[in-house]
Amino acid sequence: MYTFKGRDIHDFSKGDGKCFVLPNGLGGYSSHSLINSSHRKHYGYLVACLKPPVDRKVILTRINEKIILEDKIYDLEAQDFKTYKKEGQIYLKEVIVDYIPTYIYEVDGIIIKKRIAPVYGENTVSITYEIKADKDAKILLVPLFNYKDHGEASSKENLIFDEEIKEHLISLTPRLNKDIDIKLHFSEGKLIENKNKYSDPFYCKFDGETGDPRLDVQFKPYSIETYLKGGETKNISVVCSIEKEFSSDAFTNIKEYEERLEKLIDNSKLDDQLAKDLVVSADAFICQRKSTSLKTILAGLPWFTDWGRDTMIAFTGLTLVTRRFSDAKEILKSFSLYEKNGLIPNMFPDDGGEPLYNTVDASLWYFYAVHKYIEYTGDKEFIKEEIYPVLKKIIKAYSTSTDFSIYMDEDGLVHAGSDQDQITWMDVRTGGVAVTPRHGKPVEINALWYNALKIMENLSSSFNEDSSFYKELSDRVKSSFNKKFICEETGCLFDVVDPNDKKIRPNQIWVLSLPYKVLDEKYAKSTFDVVTKHLYNIYGLRSLSYEDKEFLPRYEGELLKRDYTYHMGTTWGFLIGGYIDAYAYVNASSPTLKEELDELVHRFIPHLHEGCIGGIAEIFDGEMAFRTRGCYSQAWSVGELLRAYYENVLSK
């Protein structure tokens, strides 16, 4: 449970920058700031998903509240506008995020307790109000509607709706999509038509700082008016949905949402509080993919879709440590259906079009995910029948050649990339320029290639097939790797060979963390020590040494500037998983190893109270890794911390 009082919520800038997010299992979500302000244009109580897990639309941005006592109006709205600011957050007594958010306002003897949660598996959101009054009061609830892509900003011209009013029901049909019927049901009060049906443009500060469109208009056609007598308590249910049928009992809906999260925690069989919190955080990313009718993993919230590389890295923490084995099986199956020329998709576009295959590592991380699936479940039969044939295709493609200049050279090592394509995880290309070209033989690709071969060696033996090809090739890869990747000058590994790149980057950490160690043990300690000195940064690893002349310390500003910084010093949260594994490997003989690793993990506790509450951000600055950057919660950041914590501390 995360509790916020005092300055955390009364100081506009502090509360505006923190948020919650709750998934609906379709790719949509409910997300807003701790003071109920629109810090980002992605925020909404109901962000629906029209083509799971893509095509996300903001439907209900939020509900504002006003308290009227005699002739005095208390406006609880907190929001930056273009030329002014409302600071209704001063009336907040407390905000609690315990599975779901609870806002508690107190104004002159009137207490409003407001809770919000989506309905899992539906494009529906529930809002409950428990209002206590020690004197006569009038309460106004003002729903703010929208219909826009969750990454866009709205204007009045885009917000034209056909309206229909019935008792306790508002129905709106956006002119932009007449197939959508937005319904808002409320259990108490009467409707008052607003004279001005449009809000002043919200100034979304986060988007303003990144150079994106940041002025966002909302549609507010009606207010819901209710009265309380002194000493009276009222419970009000509000439900907004685009489903044809939905439950209008918000209190029951929210209880069911909480019970589902409690079951996820119980099913994980984890007793540690941090681990249980991360089980809840992990749930934000697992959702349905309509095209396969199977589960997939969103790479990050609020804006990423399902990416192959991110999915396979996050997979173990999100689905196996949490014991969501059925979901794990579906995810492996889902990506196997899209294998093409030995590649699994890099990403599925947000418009629901054909997937993109511009990745060399997603297919190799797929072997790691399969290995972990067997390790946690023992279910080799599923792998043999459904997945093993796909693994064979991948090995054949990589050991000969496939798209994007991916091929095995005579030394057994894998070459990848050419010209301006970007196919490792350091994949920014802007203005036609590859910011971090890593063409040649990248260090982590060949560590993964070695692991893929060793995994296939074991699988083929267990399936009574000849494993000699994989054994002989993996031996050749290991020999070549140790001849080519040792950089005497830096004391660690080349980031890429053929041609050689001696920049100190974090990709070498996987050489020390993956199950099968391709690097001779005598080089391990030196490599780890260099990574620690140059790259470790509390919440992850820097993407480039701080001593490098090209190091960029802060990820900020407009997109072009941020693109050039993304992999040139920015700290990445997901890399903490590999770092913890490497720490455990190199320091295996330390009598205090478990305590040391536990400390590394618990350094994340302050971050769980910042940015997205309970989540772990995609990236942080390279100089000082304390400010949340990029996606406010990232699948592989959460998954890797949970996996590394479980495998290296909790299960020991």
Side-chain angles (χ1 to χ4, degrees):
M1 182 170 69
Y2 303 89
T3 301
F4 301 89
K5 298 180 179 181
R7 283 195 62 207
D8 280 336
I9 49 179
H10 292 158
D11 183 322
F12 187 97
S13 62
K14 288 177 71 69
D16 190 47
K18 297 183 178 72
C19 72
F20 69 87
V21 64
L22 301 169
N24 68 3
L26 301 175
Y29 55 86
S30 299
S31 182
H32 231 286
S33 84
L34 278 194
I35 59 172
N36 204 40
S37 60
S38 290
H39 179 65
R40 299 173 185 243
K41 58 181 180 283
H42 291 88
Y43 285 164
Y45 287 4
L46 176 56
V47 179
C49 197
L50 305 188
K51 191 184 295 183
V54 298
D55 199 6
R56 286 168 275 192
K57 304 292 185 185
V58 177
I59 302 296
L60 179 66
T61 302
R62 67 173 185 247
I63 300 177
N64 290 332
E65 299 82 26
K66 293 181 180 179
I67 298 173
I68 302 174
L69 300 175
E70 296 181 344
D71 59 349
K72 190 168 184 180
I73 300 175
Y74 296 88
D75 190 345
L76 307 188
E77 182 176 19
Q79 184 61 49
D80 252 329
F81 294 89
K82 186 176 181 180
T83 58
Y84 67 99
K85 180 187 295 184
K86 285 189 176 183
E87 299 213 42
Q89 82 284 351
I90 63 172
Y91 302 114
L92 274 169
K93 180 180 180 182
E94 190 174 30
V95 178
I96 302 167
V97 182
D98 184 14
Y99 302 152
I100 68 169
T102 300
Y103 294 84
I104 302 173
Y105 294 91
E106 186 170 7
V107 177
D108 197 11
I110 312 299
I111 298 175
I112 297 178
K113 181 179 178 182
K114 171 184 180 180
R115 309 185 80 208
I116 306 156
V119 173
Y120 198 80
E122 293 184 15
N123 288 308
T124 302
V125 68
S126 302
I127 306 98
T128 62
Y129 290 92
E130 298 175 42
I131 307 173
K132 296 180 180 180
D134 67 358
K135 61 188 70 176
D136 293 354
K138 179 163 65 175
I139 309 295
L140 291 179
L141 307 181
V142 187
L144 306 181
F145 297 96
N146 214 306
Y147 184 80
K148 63 167 188 174
D149 182 89
H150 71 149
E152 300 296 330
S154 292
S155 63
K156 289 182 181 180
E157 292 73 23
N158 296 332
L159 297 178
I160 301 174
F161 297 83
D162 296 327
E163 304 173 25
E164 183 179 352
I165 304 303
K166 296 180 181 178
E167 186 177 9
H168 297 303
L169 185 68
I170 302 171
S171 295
L172 303 174
T173 302
R175 297 281 178 89
L176 291 175
N177 186 350
K178 293 196 173 184
D179 292 330
I180 295 294
D181 187 12
I182 302 169
K183 290 185 172 68
L184 184 135
H185 181 276
F186 55 100
S187 64
E188 173 77 30
K190 66 177 181 178
L191 287 178
I192 306 295
E193 187 168 7
N194 295 325
K195 292 181 181 179
N196 183 0
K197 294 197 172 189
Y198 296 93
S199 73
D200 288 346
F202 290 178
Y203 177 77
C204 301
K205 185 177 180 181
F206 173 85
D207 305 296
E209 291 175 348
T210 60
D212 289 353
R214 73 297 304 255
L215 296 177
D216 196 20
V217 175
Q218 316 300 323
F219 184 61
K220 54 182 187 70
Y222 301 95
S223 295
I224 302 167
E225 181 182 78
T226 189
Y227 290 89
L228 285 87
K229 294 181 179 180
E232 187 178 8
T233 297
K234 281 191 176 181
N235 294 329
I236 301 175
S237 163
V238 181
V239 179
C240 184
S241 181
I242 62 169
E243 304 289 344
K244 290 183 178 179
E245 296 182 1
F246 61 93
S247 167
S248 60
D249 184 347
F251 289 91
T252 298
N253 293 345
I254 287 178
K255 182 180 179 182
E256 290 176 353
Y257 193 86
E258 290 178 302
E259 288 174 346
R260 178 184 169 275
L261 292 177
E262 288 169 353
K263 286 179 181 177
L264 289 179
I265 293 171
D266 290 344
N267 182 67
S268 75
K269 299 182 180 179
L270 296 169
D271 295 326
D272 178 83
Q273 187 57 53
L274 173 57
K276 290 194 289 187
D277 289 344
L278 292 175
V279 168
V280 173
S281 300
D283 187 50
F285 309 104
I286 300 172
C287 64
Q288 198 72 17
R289 169 158 276 282
K290 184 178 180 181
S291 64
T292 61
S293 298
L294 297 168
K295 289 290 197 305
T296 189
I297 291 176
L298 294 175
L301 291 171
W303 53 72
F304 283 145
T305 59
D306 40 349
W307 290 39
R309 171 191 304 116
D310 298 56
T311 295
M312 298 311 145
I313 294 174
F315 176 83
T316 303
L318 300 190
T319 69
L320 300 179
V321 175
T322 59
R323 299 181 62 83
R324 297 176 68 161
F325 298 146
S326 176
D327 291 342
K329 182 183 289 190
E330 287 192 21
I331 290 163
L332 291 178
K333 178 65 175 176
S334 183
F335 276 85
S336 74
L337 296 175
Y338 284 95
E339 176 272 330
K340 179 181 179 183
N341 300 330
L343 303 177
I344 66 169
N346 180 32
M347 67 172 292
F348 295 91
D350 202 37
D351 61 6
E354 287 299 307
L356 305 178
Y357 288 87
N358 55 325
T359 171
V360 61
D361 48 352
S363 296
L364 299 176
W365 279 113
Y366 191 65
F367 285 85
Y368 173 81
V370 169
H371 173 79
K372 286 293 184 179
Y373 176 81
I374 294 172
E375 180 182 304
Y376 277 78
T377 68
D379 183 10
K380 285 189 176 181
E381 191 62 30
F382 163 68
I383 298 301
K384 181 180 180 180
E385 296 299 322
E386 301 284 351
I387 307 300
Y388 187 56
V390 175
L391 300 183
K392 284 184 172 181
K393 290 180 182 178
I394 295 171
I395 294 292
K396 182 178 181 181
Y398 276 62
S399 62
T400 52
S401 66
T402 185
D403 304 330
F404 302 104
S405 301
I406 299 169
Y407 60 87
M408 185 181 73
D409 210 344
E410 293 179 358
D411 55 10
L413 300 176
V414 167
H415 174 283
S418 63
D419 298 324
Q420 291 299 318
D421 58 26
Q422 293 287 80
I423 58 173
T424 70
W425 77 276
M426 292 185 167
D427 57 359
V428 173
R429 182 180 174 189
T430 183
V433 176
V435 179
T436 51
R438 303 180 67 230
H439 305 139
K441 300 169 184 175
V443 62
E444 82 281 11
I445 300 307
N446 283 285
L448 286 163
W449 173 233
Y450 177 75
N451 272 260
L453 293 170
K454 297 301 289 184
I455 290 165
M456 285 298 283
E457 179 186 340
N458 292 337
L459 287 177
S460 58
S461 292
S462 65
F463 297 153
N464 298 315
E465 294 184 5
D466 184 5
S467 63
S468 59
F469 170 79
Y470 306 111
K471 173 68 168 65
E472 293 167 6
L473 182 52
S474 65
D475 287 345
R476 178 151 50 109
V477 169
K478 185 165 187 173
S479 175
S480 297
F481 188 96
N482 284 279
K483 288 177 182 176
K484 290 197 169 187
F485 275 96
I486 310 304
C487 180
E488 300 290 347
E489 182 180 342
T490 60
C492 59
L493 306 181
F494 287 112
D495 189 52
V496 180
V497 299
D498 300 341
N500 291 354
D501 178 359
K502 63 183 180 183
K503 284 187 177 299
I504 299 175
R505 293 191 181 276
N507 304 298
Q508 60 195 301
I509 201 67
W510 288 307
V511 173
L512 304 176
S513 69
L514 288 167
Y516 299 96
K517 304 296 186 284
V518 68
L519 183 68
D520 286 346
E521 189 175 355
K522 63 184 177 181
Y523 301 115
K525 182 68 164 60
S526 174
T527 299
F528 178 78
D529 288 346
V530 172
V531 168
T532 300
K533 176 185 175 182
H534 290 262
L535 304 175
Y536 175 68
N537 202 15
I538 305 296
Y539 295 146
L541 299 182
R542 297 181 180 95
S543 45
L544 182 66
S545 167
Y546 65 86
E547 291 185 355
D548 195 292
K549 64 182 181 180
E550 295 185 81
F551 173 75
L552 297 173
R554 288 178 294 282
Y555 182 86
E556 61 187 6
E558 297 191 0
L559 182 60
L560 181 62
K561 181 181 178 182
R562 285 181 283 128
D563 277 349
Y564 274 95
T565 310
Y566 212 33
H567 301 115
M568 297 300 288
T570 296
T571 298
W572 287 76
F574 83 101
L575 295 170
I576 198 65
Y579 181 78
I580 291 171
D581 293 338
Y583 191 111
Y585 170 59
V586 170
N587 297 284
S589 61
S590 171
T592 60
L593 177 61
K594 186 173 179 179
E595 290 76 13
E596 293 167 31
L597 297 176
D598 189 66
E599 181 186 349
L600 286 177
V601 171
H602 279 80
R603 289 178 184 177
F604 276 79
I605 294 294
H607 175 58
L608 298 178
H609 291 76
E610 299 289 337
C612 181
I613 306 307
I616 302 175
E618 176 191 9
I619 52 177
F620 307 83
D621 283 343
E623 186 176 50
M624 297 292 287
F626 294 117
R627 183 170 177 186
T628 296
R629 304 287 193 178
C631 280
Y632 55 53
S633 192
Q634 191 82 352
W636 60 10
S637 298
V638 172
E640 275 295 270
L641 184 68
L642 179 55
R643 179 199 61 77
Y645 186 32
Y646 176 76
E647 292 184 348
N648 293 287
V649 180
L650 298 180
S651 64
K652 299 299 183 182

